Amino acid sequence: MFKKILVANRGEIACRVMRTAKKMGIATVAVYSDADARAPHVLMADEAVRLGPPPAGESYLLADLILLAAKETGADCIHPGYGFLSERESFAKACAEAGIAFVGPPPKAIAAMGDKIESKKLAKAAGVNVVPGFLGEIADTDEAVKIASDIGYPVMMKASAGGGGKGMRLAYSEQDVREGFEATKREGLASFGDDRVFIEKFIESPRHIEIQVMGDQHGNIVYLGERECSIQRRHQKVVEEAPSPFVTPEMRKSMGEQAVALARAVGYFSAGTVELIVSGADTTGQGFYFLEMNTRLQVEHPVTEAITGLDLVELMIRVAAGEPLGFTQDDVTLTGWAIENRVYAEDPYRGFLPSIGRLVRYNPPEDARPAYGKVKADGGAYVRVDDGVREGGEVSMFYDPMIAKLITWAPTRIAAIDQQIAALDAFEIEGPGNNIDFVSALMQHPRFRDGNITTGFIAEEYPDGFHGAPASADLLRSLSAIAAFAATAEADRARRIDGQLGKRLRPPADWSVRIDGTDHDVSISTDGVIVDGEELDIALEYTPGDRVVQAEIGDEDLSVRIARTRGGFRLTARGAAHVVRVLPAHVAPYAEHLIEKIPPDLSKFLLCPMPGLLMRLDVAAGDKVEAGQPLAVVEAMKMENILRAEKAGTVKTVNAQPGDSLAVDAVILEME
């Protein structure tokens, strides 16, 4: 077995690999850029080596520096994680030439499956169903338009070396192709060093299913069930689960056997994933198409670990050391259900714009822990958080916006979903915007809970954007009571601090609470809690300064994140934040006359929605524009974002130029 492993990655996946390495008694080496000098993966490792400046092209993508770090520290193997160099044939070859084991597949398998164009050709030759499309070189936008027209709209344009939702554009018309083809090429070049693009038919109302395979160097290959990854936004996965609520045992067997056959055809070993697109209307069990094979560990591997009880990272390391798997396909069993939500640094209330900055507060659920497999023999649920950040750290514009992965396991799908909702309620993040409310809303959505999902789910269910999960009347009553409890505790604290004056004052027993435009009367006494004339069975503890309130309401537990505001509190629970005004009942009638500040009208300005680089400006002063017309392109976190005109008008002044680094809300141009 290896003595020392270098992890050629950063963030949560680096931490994830190191946890297993330490469990196996293997020393660890981290590499880092200047932006990650004090990152958790650096602090966790036994040794750490600086690579260079923050941009990945000057640090994590420099294979020569990583190999030099391995030689200098005496590492005898390298785990690449995912992204960066994990699917570079040249890196795997360089490791072999340097006498350092690469924890992944052989170079020839990476070459065969890592290129999306070539992998589709190989899959087709092997008799695997592939999506209709054009797999040759595309010279320019005009040729792309012709190819798309021949295939028939809608089509998907994909960077050949792409992944993770980057370098992908959906086109429903010639205009979409003309707007998106060059951007797809640029994203492919910027993220993967390859600007080749292929075009294929987009299957509408599809489900995204993937098969996890694992092979050793002795010819043993098994499949470890499937994962459902249909909940996506901008082709980037948001929610993953295992198994799929759609896949039957017969489909699983057919998909798995084809995935194994494909892996065997290219001499594959280590962990890999065969991604498939499936028609949601298929009832034959055979209506699936090969998309690509990821020759690395997937972001969503924890859900497979949860239902199989296997540590995939440990298996990868043992396979790289030449050990056999030690089990066969018949030994693979799937138990229970697992859900993973990706917690991203983005603002779902502002069109999911990327968000960066310092994590002023970062506190995962108390019962969360890294766990590989079914950790509770009694069949109970568990929560796992995989992360690579810490309180006080920075979410940087240079890397992927994922903050953490929240994984829950339970005996049934609904129980695993409900465990997610409870854990998300208790997950505290302050600083950058985050999508916790949004993924909580997904977990509560009736269509998701029914398992009736496709890759178009988010676009279909939130066509006008996300504005918070709807709150039931019962939840609003409960939150009103919690706000009144908190106000009572705050008033009691003020009374005790005020000394002699406080002795003559008592916290009010009756409160007027306004939440989401509705008013509730709350009375708190030793006899109980009355909300709107009805008794509420509620128990909780709140001390001024607490950030999370744990309440018992009847037979249910409710975690509520709480923050003090002027005139009340902001309570966040069940996928939405509620600004709550709390006043003593005798004062409330006089509060209606308070003057509210009216926000300024910013509609005539084009503001930069996130920190980023202005890549392109499509208009000049004096130009007339129509609503929806592209005005500028801003790049942030390796993704290009097209900014469009909200309404028709004329450009009055231009305040920025291509190449400028812009802060959030920086004025790009002003309309007359």
Side-chain angles (χ1 to χ4, degrees):
M1 182 48 65
F2 303 117
K3 300 297 184 183
K4 185 180 291 187
I5 186 170
L6 182 146
V7 184
N9 218 296
R10 64 177 299 279
E12 65 88 13
I13 189 57
C15 294
R16 161 71 186 92
V17 173
M18 289 179 192
R19 289 189 188 101
T20 285
K22 290 178 180 292
K23 182 184 70 173
M24 298 174 68
I26 301 172
T28 58
V29 179
V31 291
Y32 64 91
S33 73
D34 291 339
D36 287 335
R38 299 294 296 171
H41 78 279
V42 175
L43 302 178
M44 178 183 292
D46 298 304
E47 300 175 69
V49 178
R50 176 186 178 271
L51 293 176
E58 301 176 40
S59 52
Y60 295 105
L61 288 173
L62 296 179
D64 290 346
L65 288 183
I66 289 172
L67 286 169
L68 180 61
K71 291 176 183 178
E72 290 179 344
T73 57
D76 48 358
C77 71
I78 293 178
H79 195 302
Y82 51 72
F84 292 145
L85 298 173
S86 62
E87 293 181 287
R88 293 279 182 92
E89 175 197 13
S90 59
F91 183 60
K93 280 184 175 180
C95 288
E97 292 169 358
I100 300 171
F102 178 76
V103 184
K108 65 176 183 178
I110 296 176
M113 292 289 101
D115 186 305
K116 290 179 173 58
I117 293 176
E118 294 303 317
S119 67
K120 287 179 182 293
K121 291 178 180 178
L122 285 165
K124 188 174 183 179
V128 178
N129 286 345
V130 297
V131 179
F134 181 83
L135 303 180
E137 294 281 346
I138 302 175
D140 52 31
T141 300
D142 289 337
E143 185 179 2
V145 168
K146 182 180 184 303
I147 290 169
S149 178
D150 291 343
I151 294 172
Y153 293 105
V155 298
M156 180 69 76
M157 298 175 289
K158 292 184 179 180
S160 178
K166 297 180 179 67
M168 299 176 69
R169 288 289 192 282
L170 179 59
Y172 284 93
S173 65
E174 176 180 332
Q175 180 181 348
D176 291 342
V177 176
R178 293 194 179 279
E179 285 186 6
F181 180 73
E182 291 297 330
T184 304
K185 287 172 66 70
R186 287 193 298 271
E187 285 184 2
L189 185 63
S191 296
F192 311 105
D194 187 340
D195 68 352
R196 289 176 303 152
V197 173
F198 68 95
I199 300 177
E200 65 185 12
K201 180 70 176 176
F202 178 70
I203 297 176
E204 297 186 271
S205 300
R207 299 181 80 116
H208 187 118
I209 308 294
E210 57 189 34
I211 301 293
Q212 176 73 59
V213 297
M214 177 67 70
D216 62 24
Q217 299 186 52
H218 306 277
N220 303 306
I221 306 177
V222 299
Y223 62 91
L224 305 178
E226 82 284 350
R227 296 185 286 258
E228 171 95 47
C229 305
S230 296
I231 302 296
Q232 304 177 6
R233 194 187 65 77
R234 289 188 68 173
H235 315 298
Q236 189 171 55
K237 300 165 189 173
V238 178
V239 182
E240 299 102 353
E241 60 182 304
S244 164
F246 176 74
V247 173
T248 64
E250 293 76 21
M251 290 178 68
R252 180 177 300 121
K253 185 173 186 294
S254 181
M255 290 176 172
E257 289 176 349
Q258 281 201 29
V260 167
L262 181 60
R264 195 177 301 282
V266 295
Y268 197 90
F269 58 78
S270 194
T273 298
V274 176
E275 300 203 2
L276 307 165
I277 192 166
V278 185
S279 170
D282 178 70
T283 58
T284 67
Q286 299 297 320
F288 54 87
Y289 300 92
F290 172 77
L291 281 179
E292 61 181 318
M293 183 174 187
N294 289 299
T295 57
R296 54 167 169 80
L297 194 66
Q298 290 281 88
V299 177
E300 57 271 22
H301 75 274
V303 294
T304 296
E305 293 182 326
I307 66 169
T308 61
L310 299 170
D311 183 333
L312 298 190
V313 172
E314 180 177 350
L315 288 174
M316 293 180 73
I317 294 172
R318 294 191 179 281
V319 165
E323 295 185 12
L325 285 180
F327 61 91
T328 67
Q329 190 65 58
D330 291 340
D331 298 320
V332 177
T333 58
L334 310 182
T335 305
W337 217 283
I339 307 284
E340 175 179 296
N341 273 302
R342 301 189 188 190
V343 179
Y344 284 121
E346 61 186 14
D347 189 346
Y349 295 98
R350 298 184 65 198
F352 298 93
L353 294 173
S355 182
I356 63 173
R358 186 173 299 279
L359 285 164
V360 177
R361 186 165 182 81
Y362 178 77
N363 188 23
E366 286 186 4
D367 57 349
R369 60 202 180 282
Y372 313 120
K374 301 179 284 294
V375 297
K376 285 196 172 182
D378 62 2
Y382 77 77
V383 179
R384 164 180 167 181
V385 172
D386 281 16
D387 59 22
V389 300
R390 62 175 182 166
E391 194 166 284
E394 290 279 339
V395 176
S396 169
M397 67 179 289
F398 296 103
Y399 311 117
D400 188 271
M402 188 168 64
I403 298 173
K405 302 183 307 196
L406 178 66
I407 305 100
T408 56
W409 177 91
T412 66
R413 182 172 186 266
I414 291 299
I417 292 172
D418 288 343
Q419 188 76 4
Q420 275 282 342
I421 297 170
L424 288 164
D425 278 347
F427 206 140
E428 297 180 74
I429 299 176
E430 294 180 13
N434 64 79
N435 68 336
I436 285 179
D437 286 355
F438 178 65
V439 291
S440 177
L442 292 178
M443 296 296 98
Q444 299 171 67
H445 198 291
R447 182 177 158 191
F448 176 79
R449 295 174 74 87
D450 288 343
N452 178 24
I453 54 180
T454 69
T455 57
F457 179 91
I458 292 176
E460 293 162 5
E461 298 300 326
Y462 301 94
D464 300 320
F466 178 71
H467 307 289
S472 67
D474 286 343
L475 177 60
L476 293 179
R477 292 178 65 246
S478 297
L479 293 177
S480 296
I482 291 170
F485 263 107
T488 301
E490 297 279 3
D492 185 61
R493 177 175 179 271
R495 177 184 67 84
R496 287 183 280 107
I497 290 175
D498 283 344
Q500 292 299 316
L501 176 61
K503 291 181 180 180
R504 298 194 299 271
L505 301 175
R506 292 291 182 270
D510 298 324
W511 298 92
S512 177
V513 180
R514 173 166 291 181
I515 179 171
D516 289 2
T518 62
D519 293 321
H520 301 273
D521 297 321
V522 182
S523 296
I524 300 174
S525 69
T526 55
D527 295 328
V529 180
I530 305 297
V531 181
D532 298 334
E534 296 183 10
E535 185 174 358
L536 180 67
D537 182 8
I538 183 172
L540 71 137
E541 292 184 5
Y542 172 79
T543 301
D546 285 353
R547 296 176 181 270
V548 177
V549 175
Q550 302 287 351
E552 294 182 14
I553 302 169
D555 297 329
E556 295 186 3
D557 294 332
L558 178 65
S559 295
V560 180
R561 302 193 298 279
I562 183 169
R564 198 77 167 86
T565 65
R566 184 177 181 180
F569 304 90
R570 185 177 69 253
L571 304 181
T572 305
R574 295 296 192 266
H578 306 270
V579 177
V580 187
R581 188 203 70 180
V582 187
L583 295 172
H586 67 279
V587 173
Y590 304 100
E592 301 302 325
H593 304 292
L594 295 177
I595 299 175
E596 295 186 9
K597 184 178 180 180
I598 300 175
D601 179 14
L602 300 176
S603 62
K604 66 179 182 177
F605 298 103
L606 178 67
L607 305 179
C608 186
M610 79 291 281
L613 183 68
L614 183 60
M615 298 290 293
R616 193 176 79 226
L617 193 62
D618 296 329
V619 293
D623 288 354
K624 294 185 179 299
V625 300
E626 299 296 329
Q629 178 179 330
L631 301 179
V633 175
V634 173
E635 182 189 75
M637 291 180 170
K638 301 181 183 179
M639 300 287 284
E640 291 191 4
N641 303 271
I642 299 176
L643 308 184
R644 301 178 184 273
E646 293 187 7
K647 57 186 179 181
T650 301
V651 178
K652 180 180 179 181
T653 58
V654 174
N655 300 77
Q657 297 298 324
D660 290 353
S661 293
L662 303 177
V664 64
D665 290 334
V667 177
I668 299 174
L669 58 83
E670 180 180 355
M671 307 284 288
E672 289 183 352

